[in-house]
């Protein structure tokens, strides 16, 4: 695993996402209310724009989710799967917290 | 081959024929020539009186651009038909022109009956039927003087109200011993009389008119008992007579009491000639209401298209109306003429209400009834006529029929009598098309689109169909937006976490979070990006800009009223140039700069704020723009200063968070160059002040705003808008524009008038105070971000590479400016949705 430092945890508010660039890969990193961290691809598969980190975080039936800010499809933060259109999915990246630093790995 | 239909008369019913035929004639089998004697296309005669209460001739028009532009419709105005040759199948116009037809429909309506009392033809005597009549009455009215209406029926009372609106003191002379003798009984008539006398009308009941006095013009009216009323204005409203002058000329048979005699399919005695509306004597009987006329028009359209027999099903002569603010309803056998009929009467003289139910001799079947003062039970009672009573009579009279459910109604009961829609048709439509609310039922079935008295029943039917308009906001809150608003307001809860912990479940989603964010903002909880609020906002609010298809944003500074100095225009140009932004004038009279990257937004806004600009809230569910026309500063027609008013309104309501976006406009005269009636609240200047219109919309479902109040001075205008907006902010659903909200209100516009103008709920002061708090605490959101490093730190392309531009953003050039390039990055894999294999 090749871990990349993203930012200080202070910058990542609960229920919020930030965009990061790992090599050439735009990644969206989220922190939920229970302090879990998630990282998924930042590029919305429906429009090709790098906007997923700007979506609203929440849950659907308990599953942690983010809604695309563009056309509002909802994705699982755990699996990257689109819950509104099971054909589409976002890549998921390993993410961890080291001290106060958030790190993401490219698999 | 295309055939030609000639319609004589472009009134309400003639127009319905044209509309229906064009709707159903998919093969363009008929070309329609409509000949109307009046100078204007068909208008809402039923709503005629509102012409003196602020509405314009335009407002009343029934004729849309679609009809005017329709190449299959040839509408001729000022064209009276004077001759018909049924042998040659031709009509002659007063101009001498002659036109041939394949089918002829007479829809000439009625004319007011003027009793031949001495002096009836003197100048100063009027009738009440057309817009031209009303113009003449307005011209002749003198404020403060007595005016006389002859006839105390439904129309007479409307005419009396018209005189009242013109500032006159109306007298009503009625030959029968009570008002509205056709509709109400003795007891109801007494209550009605009491209520209208309180409004300043003088009633002379059981009185015959002896003469109109005067030499050159009317100077007084003498009654048979010797009473003399000193007046120079008399309106005859003593009933109508069918306009059947063409009967002899065309060789068409007449009914015994006038009108073109037709069978139950509206066919006259001459092949190829029909008559519909008030001029038709269907099997000898004329109908003076619009709903039966509409049914006739639809039947004839079906015959012409060979879609059915189109027989006239007979008509329900029930009426419910609000006369001078007094509810009056009568339905079925209101006078108890059925043999053995029993009457149950409930009268409350103190409250000014009267109700009578007419029952069959065994007291089990409802035959009819009369309601005066409070007619809320009408929606439930009318469809029950001729049916077995589902509950004891007194229970049926409880407000809005709370005593019964509609389960008691059989499917063939007519729920909407204006448009002849049955319960079965409505419930089928609800099930078949998955209709979810009253506005949808209205547009799908036409029920509820005329007088509105059946709307409460539509609600009940929706509920009972189980489609139950769930008020739950989303899976996390069972409450509606309005309920959450009340909770937040009453408890003072100021954060989403607390609200969902105490009143919801789960963690929230992209539906409830922005809705709650908006509620918190309306209640004045500081900057929308402060603390937890930042995570509730939709991306537009989160970056105080509008997201575009490629992930960049647009920048829209506020330009109040659309007025801008050359200096500021230059600043916008310079900023656009510096950052390479695409520039466009919006439909809202301001300038949009597109293509800004997230990380550029603060820099761009710093320049704009320094130059005196502020956020235009193009991104928010908030006030967008108040458009203006140039008004009386420059325009030769302007009667008020529309630009100053627009700026004043825009600065007052800027930043107000609401259930959906809010738009407004102010026009300097009735020419309406600012398109105010397409707005949530629109203001149009009059020579006495301002008319306020509410509930307009462009967008998906365009709707003209309706008049809320007329001739307001500046302060009253603002007071009413304050109340209107705050009432909307508190009670509307999420993403419900004012247009849909007004439609969904029980009692519609009338109810809104009562709350906003008359303060029937006693909340006006509180609403005004809430608005004043908003005005006092407003501050520019962009200035708030620029002065706060914490908020600024979120405007980056990547947290770990703030200077690296997002590689997904690419522009190409078109007409000398940028535009988003085609998406070029390898798209993340989208697995094709599983397809069912069908062989
Ligand atoms: C920029 C503009 C078009 C233009 O180039 O002229 C525009 C652009 C957008 N309109 Fe609009 N509308 C614009 C005037 C209008 C108008 C005309 C007007 O306001 O005079 C209408 C019809 C009037 C009305 O709203 O009743 C209009 C009816 C809509 C609707 C349909 C609303 C409805 O109730 O049916 C939407 C969708 C929505 O809001 O849900 C919409 C939504 C949008 C959004 C916000 C779509 C979106 O979510 O991305 C567009 C992005 C704005 C941006 O990026 O800045 N826009 N839009 C106009 C901005 C006006 C301004 O200065 O603020
Ligand atoms: C003030 C008022 C209030 C009313 N309120 C209600 C109400 O609350 N509910 C209700 O149901 N009804 C109401 N009515 C009655 C309703 O307006 C009529 O039933 C309806 O307008 C009838 O439509 P119509 O097309 O048959 O006649 P009209 O609307 O009168 O149209 C007939 C048209 O034919 C034209 N015409 C006549 N002869 C010729 C000719 N030879 N050549 C060319 N054109 C000709 C006339 O000029 C007229 O424009 C009200 C009427 C008035 C005046
Ligand atoms: S609405 Fe009237 S005042 Fe305003 S520009 Fe148009 S014509 Fe002139
Ligand atoms: S009964 Fe008048 S609109 Fe339905």
């Amino acid at each position: 695993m090749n871990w990349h430092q993203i930012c200080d945890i202070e910058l990542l508010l609960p229920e919020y996402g930030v965009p990061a660039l790992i090599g050439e890969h735009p990644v969206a990193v989220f922190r939920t209310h229970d302090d879990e961290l998630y990282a998924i691809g930042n590029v919305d598969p429906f429009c090709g724009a790098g906007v997923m980190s700007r979506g609203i975080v929440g849950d659907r039936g308990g599953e942690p989710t983010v809604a695309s800010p563009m056309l509002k499809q909802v994705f699982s933060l755990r699996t990257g799967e689109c819950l509104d259109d099971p054909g589409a999915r976002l890549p998921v990246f390993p993410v961890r917290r080291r001290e106060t630093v958030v790190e993401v790995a490219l698999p | 081959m295309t055939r030609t239909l000639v319609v004589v008369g472009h009134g309400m019913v003639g127009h319905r024929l044209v509309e229906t035929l064009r709707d159903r004639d998919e093969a363009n089998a008929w070309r329609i020539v409509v000949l109307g004697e009046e100078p204007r296309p068909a208008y809402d005669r039923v709503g005629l009186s509102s012409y003196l209460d602020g509405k314009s001739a335009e407002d009343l028009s029934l004729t849309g651009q679609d009809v005017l532009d329709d190449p299959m419709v040839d509408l001729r105005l000022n064209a009276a038909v004077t001759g018909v040759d049924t042998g040659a199948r031709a009509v002659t116009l007063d101009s001498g022109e002659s036109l041939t037809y394949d089918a002829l429909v007479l829809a000439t309506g009625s004319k007011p009956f003027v009793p031949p009392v001495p002096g009836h033809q003197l100048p100063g005597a009027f009738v009440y039927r057309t817009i031209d009549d009303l113009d003449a009455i307005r011209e002749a009215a003198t404020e403060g003087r007595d005016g006389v209406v002859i006839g105390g029926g439904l129309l007479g009372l409307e005419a009396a109200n018209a005189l009242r609106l013109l500032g006159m003191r109306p007298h009503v002379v009625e030959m029968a011993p009570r008002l509205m003798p056709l509709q109400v009984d003795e007891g109801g008539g007494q209550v009605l009389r009491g209520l209208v006398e309180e409004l300043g009308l003088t009633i002379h009941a059981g009185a015959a008119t002896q003469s109109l006095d005067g030499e050159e013009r009317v100077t007084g009216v003498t009654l048979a008992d010797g009473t003399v009323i000193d007046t120079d204005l008399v309106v005859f409203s003593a009933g109508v007579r069918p306009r059947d002058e063409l009967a002899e000329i065309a060789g068409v048979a007449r009914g015994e009491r006038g009108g073109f005699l037709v069978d139950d399919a509206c066919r006259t005695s001459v092949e190829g000639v029909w008559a519909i509306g008030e001029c038709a004597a269907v099997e000898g009987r004329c109908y003076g209401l619009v709903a039966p006329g509409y049914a006739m028009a639809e039947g004839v359209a079906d015959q012409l298209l060979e879609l059915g027999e189109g027989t006239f099903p007979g008509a329900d002569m029930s009426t419910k109306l609000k006369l001078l603010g007094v509810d009056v309803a009568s339905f079925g056998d209101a006078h108890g003429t059925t043999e053995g009929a029993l009457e149950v009467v409930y009268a409350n003289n103190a409250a000014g209400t009267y109700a009578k139910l007419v029952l069959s001799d065994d007291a089990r079947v409802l035959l009819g009834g009369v309601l005066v003062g409070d007619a809320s039970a009408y929606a439930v009672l009318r469809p029950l006529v001729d049916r077995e009573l589902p509950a004891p009579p007194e229970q049926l009279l409880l407000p809005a029929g709370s005593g019964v459910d509609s389960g008691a109604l059989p499917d063939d009961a007519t729920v909407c009598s204006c448009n002849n829609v049955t319960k079965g048709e409505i419930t089928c439509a609800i099930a078949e098309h998955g209709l979810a609310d009253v506005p949808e039922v209205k547009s799908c079935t036409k029920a509820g689109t005329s007088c509105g008295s059946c709307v409460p029943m539509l609600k009940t039917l929706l509920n009972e169909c189980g489609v139950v308009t769930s008020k739950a906001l989303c899976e996390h809150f069972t409450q509606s937006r309005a309920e959450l608003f009340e909770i937040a307001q009453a408890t003072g809860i100021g954060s989403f976490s607390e609200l969902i912990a105490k009143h919801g479940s789960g963690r929230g989603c992209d539906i409830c979070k922005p809705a709650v964010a908006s509620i918190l903002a309306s209640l004045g909880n500081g900057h929308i990006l402060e603390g937890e609020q930042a995570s509730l906002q939709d991306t537009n609010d989160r970056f105080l800009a509008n997201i575009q298809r490629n992930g960049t944003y647009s920048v829209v500074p506020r330009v109040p009223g659309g007025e801008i100095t050359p200096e500021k225009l230059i600043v916008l140009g310079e900023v656009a140039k510096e950052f390479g932004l695409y520039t466009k004038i919006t439909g809202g009279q301001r300038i949009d700069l597109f293509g800004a990257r997230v990380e550029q937004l603060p820099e761009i806004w710093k320049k704009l704020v320094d130059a005196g600009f502020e956020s235009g809230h193009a991104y928010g569910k908030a006030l967008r723009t108040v458009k203006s026309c140039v008004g009386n500063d420059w325009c030769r027609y302007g009667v008020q200063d529309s630009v100053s008013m627009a700026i004043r309104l825009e600065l007052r309501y800027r930043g107000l968070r609401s259930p959906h976006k809010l738009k407004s406009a102010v026009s300097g005269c009735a020419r309406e160059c600012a398109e105010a009636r397409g707005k949530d609240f629109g203001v149009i200047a009059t020579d006495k002040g301002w008319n306020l219109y509410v509930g307009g919309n462009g967008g998906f479902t365009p709707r003209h705003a309706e008049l809320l109040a007329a001739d307001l001075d500046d302060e009253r205008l603002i007071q009413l808008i304050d109340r209107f907006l705050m009432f909307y902010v508190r009670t509307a659903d999420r993403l419900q524009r004012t247009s849909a909200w007004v439609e969904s209100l029980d009692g519609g516009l009338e109810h809104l008038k009562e709350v906003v103008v008359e303060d029937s709920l006693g909340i006006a002061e509180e609403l005004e105070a809430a608005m004043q708090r908003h005005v006092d605490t407003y501050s520019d959101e962009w200035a708030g971000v620029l002065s706060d490093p914490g908020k600024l730190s979120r405007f980056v392309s990547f947290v770990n590479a703030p200077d690296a531009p997002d590689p997904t953003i690419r522009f190409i050039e078109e007409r000398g400016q940028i535009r988003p390039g085609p998406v070029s990055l390898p798209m993340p894999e989208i697995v094709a949705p599983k397809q069912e294999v069908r062989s």
Side-chain angles (χ1 to χ4, degrees), chain B residues 246-260:
Chain B
L246 292 172
E248 287 89 36
I249 302 171
V252 169
R254 250 206 196 98
E256 226 166 81
R257 272 171 283 156
F260 303 110

Side-chain angles (χ1 to χ4, degrees), chain B residues 622-635:
Chain B
L623 180 78
R624 293 285 162 86
T625 65
V626 182
K627 286 181 27 172
S628 72
C629 77
V630 62
N632 69 358
D633 283 350
W634 293 90
C635 177

Side-chain angles (χ1 to χ4, degrees), chain A residues 2-105:
Chain A
N2 192 358
W3 291 96
H4 298 259
Q5 295 202 342
I6 302 298
C7 65
D8 195 277
I9 188 77
E10 287 296 293
L11 255 178
L12 189 50
L13 304 174
E15 304 278 287
Y16 208 74
V18 291
L21 193 62
I22 307 178
E24 286 191 336
H25 296 273
V27 173
V29 186
F30 298 92
R31 174 179 173 192
T32 50
H33 64 104
D34 47 8
D35 267 349
E36 285 293 328
L37 296 176
Y38 299 93
I40 59 176
N42 193 39
V43 180
D44 179 333
F46 294 96
C47 64
V51 296
M52 292 308 302
S53 70
R54 306 174 201 160
I56 289 181
V57 177
D59 81 294
R60 187 176 279 184
E63 179 78 2
T65 56
V66 63
S68 165
M70 200 65 83
L71 299 174
K72 313 292 173 188
Q73 294 90 348
V74 172
F75 294 81
S76 160
L77 287 175
R78 273 190 324 111
T79 65
E81 200 175 322
C82 177
L83 303 181
D84 292 324
D85 186 345
R89 100 173 26 244
L90 288 165
V92 185
F93 302 91
V95 56
R96 69 181 182 190
R97 177 172 165 180
R98 275 280 171 100
E99 307 285 316
T100 66
V101 179
V102 178
E103 296 186 342
V104 172

